[in-house]
Amino acid sequence: MNLAPTATAGVVGVGVDAVDVERFRRILARRPGFAARYFTDTEQADAGRSGDPTESLAARFAAKEAVMKSLGTGLGGFALTDVEVRCTPGPGAIGGAPYLVLHGAAEALARKHAARLHVSLTHTAQVAIAFVVAEQPSA
């Protein structure tokens, strides 16, 4: 089976990022305004409901950088607060599943290059990882 990407594959970009959770914990402790500067109120509230808010925020931070990579820009391509990670409400298979809401420059860039962004997050006490796939608009 040939798994090489083709022009009709539908994927225009992929981004992945990993954050060292303990290092991130130290940053949050040393810089009290860090969370408010880089995360929306909704993100902070969602993280606060998790077993370890730092792990949750680290995964969201990784997602913000993975979005930049999936859209073809590096860190600094737009403000980190232009990417918001939310969770679907309710119980069941999709309850708590992450999804992305873009604002400002991130939204403008995505409108030019991608119809949809898919995100997957995972974290442990040591590392938080985010994977983002940007899907092309349908023709």
Side-chain angles (χ1 to χ4, degrees), residues 26-105:
R26 289 191 301 270
I27 290 169
L28 291 173
R30 279 194 324 262
R31 300 168 79 188
F34 186 92
R37 183 173 177 191
Y38 294 108
F39 298 99
T40 66
D41 291 341
T42 300
E43 288 174 311
Q44 292 178 69
D46 283 349
R49 289 188 287 276
S50 70
D52 183 344
T54 300
E55 289 176 16
S56 184
L57 287 175
R60 283 167 168 75
F61 193 85
K64 293 167 184 279
E65 292 195 11
V67 167
M68 289 178 180
K69 293 173 184 177
S70 76
L71 294 175
T73 181
L75 186 60
F78 43 79
L80 291 174
T81 52
D82 283 355
V83 177
E84 184 176 14
V85 180
R86 293 187 186 169
C87 296
T88 57
I94 63 165
Y99 67 96
L100 300 165
V101 177
L102 303 183
H103 309 281

Side-chain angles (χ1 to χ4, degrees), residues 4-11 136:
T6 65
T8 60
V11 173
Q136 71 184 10

Side-chain angles (χ1 to χ4, degrees), residues 3-14 118 133-137:
L3 298 177
T6 65
T8 60
V11 173
V12 294
V14 175
H118 306 273
V133 175
E135 185 180 350
Q136 71 184 10

